[in-house]
Amino acid sequence: MAAVRSVYLPLLAIALLAGCTTVNPDRNFAPPAAQEPAPELTAPAEIAKALRAGGYVIYMRHGQTKRSELELESKSREAGRFSLADCTTQRNLSDEGVAEARAAGAQFRRMHLPVGRYLSSRYCRVYQTARMYTDDLAYSEALTSDGPVVKQPERIDAVRSLLSELPPAGKNTMLFAHQGIFWEATRLTVQEGWAVVLVPGNFNRIVARIAPADWAAFAAIP
């Protein structure tokens, strides 16, 4: 955890110095960094139209987590009891995170977006978020960040491959995972509960950033 937080904190400092208005420390110190490309689409109607046309990778980070559990995973590993099958050894969604994901997921389902594949990390906070959005979920080992393993080149390459894979014509791919592996693969950030829309394989562009509350606006657009 300390290694991952060492990524978040410098980004927070950069964004604060740049006067970034999207900083929200309650979303685990991962605001968009000052050097990241600005989203190309910001109007709800434009984003909804693009997603309905398909052709994108939608990378979503798990919902808001309990700040009191930021060190829980590292302590569980130190004690030799960490397990992906045991949520009590992991950092988990907060009550606010559960409520927010449930509301956002309901609006997402209303959109009936064309998504060819939904993939999720096996961490509790991630798949619990993902299941709010879809019932058609598969687990991905590449997306399952496991402590220092995110630094391994083969893991980073596997995440890049997922982010570069073209979805079927007219469809999108939706990935649910973590900030750490996303940063290692792309040098881009994503806050808890938010999604980043990318053109497959292009990490120098951000098509859109989507906050949890944005899904309601998209769903209201015919």
Side-chain angles (χ1 to χ4, degrees):
M1 180 62 69
V4 177
R5 291 181 70 187
S6 69
V7 172
Y8 297 152
L9 295 176
L11 293 179
L12 178 64
I14 291 169
L16 287 170
L17 289 173
C20 179
T21 59
T22 55
V23 172
N24 184 348
D26 290 333
R27 290 190 184 270
N28 206 14
F29 299 105
Q35 72 272 23
E36 292 187 76
E40 297 173 2
L41 303 178
T42 56
E46 292 179 330
I47 298 171
K49 180 180 179 181
L51 294 180
R52 285 174 171 142
Y56 298 104
V57 175
I58 306 169
Y59 187 98
M60 176 170 287
R61 186 179 176 192
H62 58 76
Q64 293 185 75
T65 52
K66 298 176 181 178
R67 294 182 61 78
S68 62
E69 295 182 348
L70 283 176
E71 303 296 337
L72 178 58
E73 285 166 22
S74 60
K75 291 179 180 178
S76 295
R77 287 190 176 91
E78 289 170 4
R81 64 183 191 88
F82 177 81
S83 171
L84 287 170
D86 184 353
C87 296
T88 67
T89 68
Q90 305 171 33
R91 187 170 93 247
N92 292 284
L93 296 176
S94 64
D95 291 343
E96 294 82 2
V98 171
E100 184 178 70
R102 181 179 293 116
Q107 296 303 320
F108 173 86
R109 289 171 183 259
R110 284 182 56 206
M111 289 188 70
H112 300 290
L113 278 187
V115 177
R117 190 160 63 145
Y118 297 91
L119 295 178
S120 172
S121 159
R122 293 194 293 126
Y123 274 70
C124 297
R125 60 183 176 273
V126 181
Y127 71 72
Q128 288 170 0
T129 299
R131 287 174 178 172
M132 302 291 188
Y133 287 77
T134 180
D135 298 318
D136 185 20
L137 190 65
Y139 293 126
S140 164
E141 289 305 313
L143 294 177
T144 303
S145 172
D146 190 10
V149 77
V150 300
K151 301 292 185 181
Q152 295 180 357
E154 60 269 25
R155 175 60 59 86
I156 298 169
D157 287 345
V159 175
R160 287 192 184 123
S161 293
L162 286 177
L163 291 167
S164 301
E165 186 176 323
L166 291 173
K171 295 185 180 294
N172 303 290
T173 297
M174 196 159 183
L175 309 177
F176 297 87
H178 309 264
Q179 160 63 17
I181 56 174
F182 188 59
W183 166 260
E184 292 295 338
T186 67
R187 286 303 188 257
L188 300 174
T189 58
V190 57
Q191 294 191 70
E192 289 185 326
W194 284 53
V196 176
V197 181
L198 301 174
V199 173
N202 191 334
F203 310 139
N204 297 313
R205 295 172 57 191
I206 292 178
V207 177
R209 285 188 179 276
I210 301 175
D214 291 342
W215 295 111
F218 301 158
I221 297 169

